[in-house]
Amino acid sequence: MAIDDLLDEHEQGERVRTWLRQNGAGIIGGIILALAVIGGWKWWQNEQVGKLAAANSRYDAVSRSLQSKNLDEAVKEVAALEGSKAGIYADLAALELAKAQVEAGKNEDAIKTLRGLKVEGEFKTLIDQRIARLLIETGKPADALALLGNADDSAGLEIRGDAMVAQDKREQARDLYTQSLAKLDVAAPQRRLLEIKLMDAGGTVADPAAEKI
């Protein structure tokens, strides 16, 4: 090898060592940071898996309590699920508990359970409608109307009509039932019951083809 080549290699080596001295700390820091991120991600994944397993276990406990008709124990388990922020597990458990409470004739307890759900959008609309129905059944039609506000979907209008009937405001009920029918599909299975409600309130059922929203 020529001396000039050796000098070139020596010069290149010095340049590499100088660059490493200047940037080595940054490289090492970057490696450490990358390792920390990877480790943190794995820890987070393991943490989520653990929480999911715990939530599933508590949900099973709720189901067992409901099957054995032990509603008091189910209430405790649902509260524990909600406290652990178990998401869909907590919501499903609360819905099952509310259903069991209604079947046991404990409508007030069911209302409390449903009110505890932290839901949004269309799901909240459905829950509010269920609460409103229970409020009417427990003799609180005014509270049901306040909860539903100016709801103008078919189900909302029907429930508002039910509340008006409970308050002996049959004229308002007829108007709401008529609006509800106009928004309901002709083939909907609940249509017949709604027609009966309208007639009981003193109204007449129009030809579906002639109904206007």
Side-chain angles (χ1 to χ4, degrees):
M1 182 180 293
I3 189 66
D4 290 341
D5 293 334
L6 288 173
L7 288 174
D8 287 343
E9 288 183 5
H10 177 73
E11 183 179 357
Q12 291 172 5
E14 282 298 318
R15 289 179 179 177
V16 171
R17 284 189 287 273
T18 299
W19 186 87
L20 286 174
R21 283 195 296 271
Q22 293 174 347
N23 301 282
I27 293 173
I28 295 172
I31 293 172
I32 293 173
L33 178 60
L35 291 173
V37 169
I38 292 171
W41 172 250
K42 289 183 177 179
W43 173 86
W44 184 85
Q45 284 184 313
N46 292 334
E47 184 76 3
Q48 295 306 306
V49 169
K51 286 181 178 180
L52 190 61
N56 183 62
S57 177
R58 285 198 176 278
Y59 178 77
D60 287 342
V62 172
S63 297
R64 289 193 298 271
S65 296
L66 293 177
Q67 288 172 4
S68 62
K69 308 299 183 182
N70 190 343
L71 296 185
D72 291 338
E73 185 61 29
V75 168
K76 294 178 182 177
E77 292 293 347
V78 169
L81 264 174
E82 291 172 344
S84 64
K85 299 180 180 179
I88 189 64
Y89 278 105
D91 292 342
L92 289 174
L95 290 173
E96 289 189 19
L97 172 59
K99 180 175 181 292
Q101 289 169 327
V102 170
E103 291 173 348
K106 298 183 176 183
N107 287 345
E108 293 285 0
D109 291 342
I111 290 171
K112 181 179 179 181
T113 298
L114 292 174
R115 285 191 185 279
L117 284 167
K118 302 295 187 277
V119 292
E120 298 177 352
E122 185 176 348
F123 194 20
K124 184 179 188 306
T125 299
L126 293 174
I127 295 301
D128 285 348
Q129 289 175 350
R130 184 59 181 134
I131 293 173
R133 291 184 189 278
L134 290 172
L135 286 169
I136 295 170
E137 291 177 20
T138 54
K140 300 174 182 177
D143 291 348
L145 288 170
L147 177 62
L148 294 179
N150 295 319
D152 62 355
D153 61 296
S154 181
L157 289 164
E158 178 185 356
I159 299 169
R160 289 170 60 196
D162 293 345
M164 289 299 180
V165 168
Q167 293 180 320
D168 200 27
K169 297 178 179 179
R170 302 172 70 80
E171 184 176 348
Q172 293 94 320
R174 288 196 296 271
D175 181 54
L176 289 166
Y177 287 149
T178 300
Q179 292 180 56
S180 179
L181 271 173
K183 290 177 177 283
L184 195 62
D185 188 271
V186 175
Q190 66 268 38
R191 187 177 182 88
R192 182 54 183 161
L193 176 58
L194 185 53
E195 290 174 343
I196 292 173
K197 287 182 179 182
L198 174 58
M199 290 186 290
D200 285 345
T204 57
V205 178
D207 182 349
E211 289 178 356
K212 301 294 183 182
I213 294 177

